[in-house]
């Protein structure tokens, strides 16, 4: 176990190693009808199967007063490399969400879907239902390579599909070999012969301990950095020359999670390591970055176990040397590239083949019939069978691959249900905002995020208008805790929850994703947030240089020290 002593392993490490290939006692937990929860050790293992045990935190006090156990349920996250789904699969998703969850289809910040509020008795039927439409949740959570994100809009590159295919290849490369998922959830016959089981489930990548912590990979296609490539453990930047993909710049060590009051934890952007040429080199480099983290990552303190800490402990050059040693080839110098934005391109766009794409504004990724009949409209679009669906890393949705002859039919549905007006009328800041789930289901939340940010923006918009900034695409992101799921540290304005109704205010990120922000004010409530932003936007409107963004202004004016 190279750098880690068995005696110092965290409790989660011991659970993984004793889990019989992630099986644990999950079958027994599911059969226990006395409780809505599963056994304690199984709560760590079930993540590898794509779900978290949660409870309705809004009802904890009420249920405790009645001497009832908390209202446990499960969040299921799908594995959708690059965020792609066919129309038939989307119809299936709609129906499964309605039958087994709260009904809300939640787009994550990594291009996939989460369903919340699934009761224990519904978990297995939910997974079985997804299996019928060829979708699974393997490795969507847990200490493994998670959903692989890829630049979502084909309009940016004639070879988008070639690059997009890497998301599926890398996802396959990073799948565990255990058959536990198929046995537990899909009732496949267990491998009873020990020798056969050892052979079939032999896992050179993950062995019996998997990774020290979650591992995230993003693929960017310049000039749009919509995947926030440098916030990933491993980032690939497509390099295109003369219309051909020649390889990828590779960066490693990104990650945004921190812990309040723990100075040893910090957000970090990935460090550029170099360039890899062609598919064989690319996949080999990806694999070996993962194996270095497997062998050298911290397995005693989970707060310090992400790849960013491994790289800082080893040093970037030493990490690169180890990577080259394991790959058996030298990385080339990184190639020039340019990012000009990292936003979703709303509205209609056409690609080089003449196919049409419509990007829908979906506030904080919640597909539901709330302000507008969004969920119903998207189902009607899917029923035409004329489109695909592509989820974005900004919690958006692209209705994609529409032939010219079918555009009018899709457009009519979007118009009739008010979706085009809803998208067109949303303000610039609102369209670029991101919020994590937070309350009422996330056990780590200290403050609200997706339930609160829309109303906060409603109060911020008049302030922006007062200073003529209503069309300024300032990136604003909120999380209910410091773990960074909504990427708040990479925003021009970040709100990080500290307690209910209170947030740290961060400033100074850039629009392209090359710079993290810094804390400006600590533990402030809504009146203080609005007061601070009023003063900041007034200064910005009066003193900004031509074309200067808010984040760049904050740094130039030394409002924060980067």
């Amino acid at each position: 176990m190279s750098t880690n002593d068995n005696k110092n392993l965290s409790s989660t490490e011991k659970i993984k190693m004793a889990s019989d290939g992630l099986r644990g006692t999950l079958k027994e937990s599911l059969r226990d009808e006395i409780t809505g929860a599963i056994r304690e050790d199984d709560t760590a293992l079930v993540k590898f199967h794509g779900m978290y045990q949660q409870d309705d935190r809004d009802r904890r006090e009420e249920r405790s007063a009645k001497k009832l156990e908390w209202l446990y349920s499960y969040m299921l996250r799908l594995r959708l490399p690059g965020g792609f789904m066919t129309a038939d699969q989307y119809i299936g998703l709609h129906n499964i969400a309605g039958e087994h969850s709260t009904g809300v289809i939640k787009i994550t910040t990594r291009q996939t879907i989460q369903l919340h509020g699934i009761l224990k008795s519904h978990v297995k039927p939910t997974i079985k239902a997804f299996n019928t439409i060829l979708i699974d949740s393997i490795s969507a959570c847990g200490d493994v390579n998670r959903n692989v994100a890829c630049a979502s809009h084909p309009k940016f590159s004639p070879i988008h599909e070639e690059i997009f295919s890497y998301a599926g290849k890398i996802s396959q490369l990073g799948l565990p070999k255990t058959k536990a998922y198929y046995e537990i959830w899909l009732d496949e016959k267990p491998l009873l012969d020990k020798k056969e089981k050892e052979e079939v489930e032999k896992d050179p990548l993950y062995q019996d301990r998997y990774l020290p912590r979650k591992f995230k990979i993003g693929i960017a296609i310049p000039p749009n950095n919509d995947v926030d490539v440098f916030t990933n453990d491993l980032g690939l930047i497509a390099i295109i020359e003369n219309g051909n993909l020649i390889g990828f710049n590779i960066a490693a060590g990104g990650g945004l999670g921190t812990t309040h009051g723990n100075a040893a934890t910090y957000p970090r952007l990935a460090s550029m390591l170099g360039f890899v040429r062609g598919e064989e080199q690319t996949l080999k480099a990806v694999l070996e970055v993962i194996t270095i983290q497997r062998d050298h990552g911290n397995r005693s303190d989970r707060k310090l176990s992400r790849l960013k800490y491994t790289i800082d402990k080893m040093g970037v050059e030493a990490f690169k040397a180890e990577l080259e040693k394991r790959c058996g080839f030298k990385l080339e110098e990184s190639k020039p590239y340019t990012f000009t934005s990292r936003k979703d391109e709303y509205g209609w766009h056409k690609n080089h083949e003449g196919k049409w794409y419509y990007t829908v504004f979906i506030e904080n990724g919640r597909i539901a019939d709330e302000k507008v009949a969004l969920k119903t409209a998207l189902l009607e679009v899917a029923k035409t069978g004329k489109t695909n669906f592509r989820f974005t890393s900004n919690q958006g949705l692209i209705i994609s691959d529409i032939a010219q002859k079918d555009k009018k039919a899709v457009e009519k549905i979007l118009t009739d249900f008010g979706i085009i007006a809803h998208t067109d009328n949303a303000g610039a800041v609102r369209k670029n905002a991101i919020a994590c789930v937070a309350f009422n289901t996330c056990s780590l939340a200290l403050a609200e995020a997706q339930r609160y940010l829309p109303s906060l923006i409603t109060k911020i918009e008049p302030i922006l208008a007062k200073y003529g900034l209503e069309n300024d695409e300032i990136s604003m992101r909120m999380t209910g805790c410091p773990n960074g799921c909504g990427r708040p540290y990479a925003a021009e304005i970040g709100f990080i929850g500290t307690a209910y109704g209170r947030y740290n205010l961060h400033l100074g990120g850039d629009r392209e994703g090359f710079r993290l922000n810094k804390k400006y004010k600590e533990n402030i409530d809504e009146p203080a947030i609005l007061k601070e932003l009023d003063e900041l936007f007034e200064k910005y409107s009066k003193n900004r240089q031509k074309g200067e963004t808010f984040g760049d202004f904050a740094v130039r004016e030394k409002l924060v020290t980067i």
Side-chain angles (χ1 to χ4, degrees):
M1 193 164 281
S2 98
T3 61
N4 290 290
D5 189 330
N6 270 313
K7 296 176 184 175
N8 296 324
L9 292 177
S10 70
S11 59
T12 302
E13 289 298 317
K14 293 172 183 174
I15 291 169
K16 288 186 289 187
M17 293 173 72
S19 69
D20 185 22
L22 305 177
R23 291 170 177 84
T25 55
L26 277 166
K27 283 187 175 181
E28 291 79 0
S29 283
L30 290 172
R31 285 197 292 264
D32 186 353
E33 297 178 2
I34 296 173
T35 173
I38 56 177
R39 298 178 183 183
E40 186 176 353
D41 285 2
D42 289 337
T43 61
L45 298 178
V46 80
K47 296 175 186 178
F48 292 82
H49 300 259
M51 70 201 83
Y52 282 82
Q53 177 177 285
Q54 301 181 328
D55 75 282
D56 186 342
R57 294 181 63 181
D58 290 345
R59 299 186 63 184
R60 278 185 183 178
E61 190 175 336
E62 165 214 336
R63 292 183 70 85
S64 294
K66 294 178 179 178
K67 295 186 168 42
L68 297 171
E69 78 169 7
W70 291 347
L71 186 56
Y72 290 106
S73 65
Y74 298 82
M75 177 275 281
L76 182 72
R77 183 183 295 154
L78 303 179
R79 182 172 67 95
L80 296 176
F84 180 85
M85 191 177 276
T86 66
D88 284 344
Q89 287 175 324
Y90 188 86
I91 293 168
L93 167 65
H94 177 100
N95 293 333
I96 294 165
E99 187 174 346
H100 296 294
S101 76
T102 62
V104 175
I105 298 169
K106 171 72 176 181
I107 307 171
T108 77
T109 55
R110 295 196 60 75
Q111 294 183 299
T112 188
I113 293 297
Q114 293 180 178
L115 298 183
H116 290 260
I118 304 171
L119 298 179
K120 187 166 81 171
S121 60
H122 282 253
V123 172
K124 193 168 179 177
T126 301
I127 292 176
K128 281 189 168 184
F130 275 117
N131 187 60
T132 65
I133 57 171
L134 305 179
I135 293 176
D136 62 54
S137 61
I138 303 169
S139 294
C141 316
D143 299 341
V144 283
N145 176 47
R146 301 218 182 158
N147 197 56
V148 181
C150 181
S152 52
H153 208 308
K155 88 159 198 172
F156 286 106
S157 174
I159 56 171
H160 178 276
E161 290 306 306
E162 180 186 353
I163 300 167
F164 171 84
S165 71
Y166 275 84
K169 292 169 185 173
I170 292 169
S171 180
Q172 195 64 35
L173 185 75
L175 282 182
K177 297 293 189 285
T178 174
K179 301 300 179 186
Y181 180 92
Y182 305 97
E183 290 177 15
I184 295 167
W185 311 109
L186 303 177
D187 294 326
E188 287 197 5
K189 188 177 178 181
L191 295 166
L192 298 178
D193 182 81
K194 186 177 179 183
K195 187 175 180 181
E196 181 190 11
K197 185 176 177 181
E198 287 175 354
E199 188 61 35
V200 169
E201 298 194 342
K202 187 176 182 181
D203 198 333
L205 176 59
Y206 292 124
Q207 301 168 359
D208 67 344
R209 51 196 170 127
Y210 302 91
L211 297 181
R213 200 71 192 273
K214 60 187 173 184
F215 196 93
K216 298 178 178 179
I217 298 175
I219 305 169
I221 306 176
N224 194 8
N225 183 24
D226 57 342
V227 299
D228 250 337
V229 69
F230 295 110
T231 65
N232 288 270
D233 293 273
L234 180 59
L236 300 175
I237 301 167
I239 302 299
I240 300 165
E241 290 185 0
N242 301 317
N244 296 310
L245 175 69
I246 61 168
F248 296 88
N249 283 347
I250 185 167
L256 300 184
T258 71
T259 302
H260 287 316
N262 185 346
T265 66
Y266 48 83
R268 186 188 192 280
L269 293 180
S271 302
M272 190 66 75
L273 299 180
F275 172 79
V276 288
R277 189 176 294 273
E279 181 176 324
E280 186 178 343
Q281 278 197 3
T282 299
L283 296 181
K284 179 65 172 172
V286 168
L287 179 71
E288 297 303 351
V289 168
I290 297 173
T291 67
I292 296 173
Q293 168 64 350
R294 178 197 67 203
D295 296 341
H296 292 273
N298 188 324
R299 292 182 182 268
S300 59
D301 186 346
R302 288 181 65 79
K303 293 185 187 304
L304 302 175
S305 58
R306 290 288 295 276
L307 179 64
K308 60 183 175 180
Y309 301 115
T310 308
I311 285 184
D312 282 345
K313 179 179 69 178
M314 294 177 69
V316 174
E317 287 307 312
F319 185 91
K320 180 180 175 182
E322 179 64 20
L323 177 60
E324 291 176 334
K325 178 184 171 185
R326 294 187 182 210
C327 285
F329 58 81
K330 293 280 187 184
L331 274 62
E332 299 178 39
E333 288 295 314
S334 59
K335 305 287 185 183
Y337 66 95
T338 302
F339 286 141
T340 56
S341 70
R342 52 176 175 162
K343 63 182 183 179
D344 286 347
E345 297 288 332
Y346 291 103
W348 285 108
H349 294 276
K350 186 163 66 169
N351 79 345
H352 66 289
E353 297 175 316
K355 291 180 180 176
W356 285 94
Y357 300 79
Y358 187 85
T359 304
V360 183
F361 169 58
I362 300 175
E363 194 156 25
N364 302 148
R366 285 176 57 85
I367 299 178
D369 288 345
E370 294 174 335
K371 292 179 182 176
V372 66
L374 181 61
K375 189 179 175 189
T376 301
L378 293 176
L379 177 63
E380 291 305 310
V381 169
K383 283 179 178 177
T384 68
K386 307 295 186 184
T387 74
N388 291 315
F389 292 78
R390 299 175 189 265
F391 305 108
T392 81
S393 292
N394 292 314
Q395 300 179 308
L397 168 63
I398 305 169
I399 302 170
S400 71
D401 309 292
I402 305 165
Q404 178 68 49
K405 64 182 176 62
D406 299 321
K407 178 174 181 279
K408 189 177 287 187
V410 173
E411 190 165 25
K412 185 177 189 307
I413 295 170
L414 296 176
T415 301
D416 290 349
F417 280 91
I419 305 306
I420 289 179
H422 170 70
T423 298
D424 289 346
N425 295 334
V429 165
R430 194 179 296 273
K431 279 183 177 176
N432 286 288
I434 293 175
C436 72
V437 173
F439 284 103
N440 59 327
T441 53
C442 179
S443 62
L444 301 174
L446 305 170
E448 295 278 8
Q450 75 167 6
R451 297 199 300 193
Y452 173 54
L453 185 58
S455 64
L456 179 63
I457 290 176
T458 298
K459 295 173 183 177
I460 290 171
E461 284 175 331
I463 303 173
L464 289 162
K466 182 165 69 170
Y467 300 115
L469 300 172
E470 61 269 31
N471 296 318
D472 200 317
E473 296 180 327
I474 299 169
S475 66
M476 191 176 290
R477 299 172 177 177
M478 174 179 283
T479 53
C481 81
N483 283 296
C485 295
R487 304 196 295 276
Y489 305 103
E492 292 179 272
I493 298 175
F495 302 102
I496 293 96
T498 56
Y500 205 86
R502 291 188 169 271
Y503 302 84
N504 288 342
L505 173 61
H506 286 231
L507 305 176
D510 65 348
R511 295 227 177 139
E512 298 80 28
F514 290 110
R515 184 176 69 229
L516 295 177
N517 55 34
K518 287 291 177 70
K519 190 190 300 179
Y520 177 67
K521 294 290 180 179
E522 193 166 13
N523 200 37
I524 57 176
D525 60 9
E526 183 181 282
I529 288 170
L530 296 175
K531 180 176 179 293
E532 291 291 345
L533 292 181
D534 194 313
E535 293 173 0
L536 288 165
F537 291 153
E538 182 179 22
K539 289 179 186 174
Y540 175 50
S541 67
K542 290 179 178 177
N543 302 320
R544 69 190 294 196
Q545 296 177 351
K546 186 176 180 181
E548 188 173 38
T549 63
F550 179 78
D552 289 348
F553 170 80
V555 173
R556 182 177 61 78
E557 288 285 310
K558 294 183 170 55
L559 299 175
V560 289
T561 303
I562 301 296

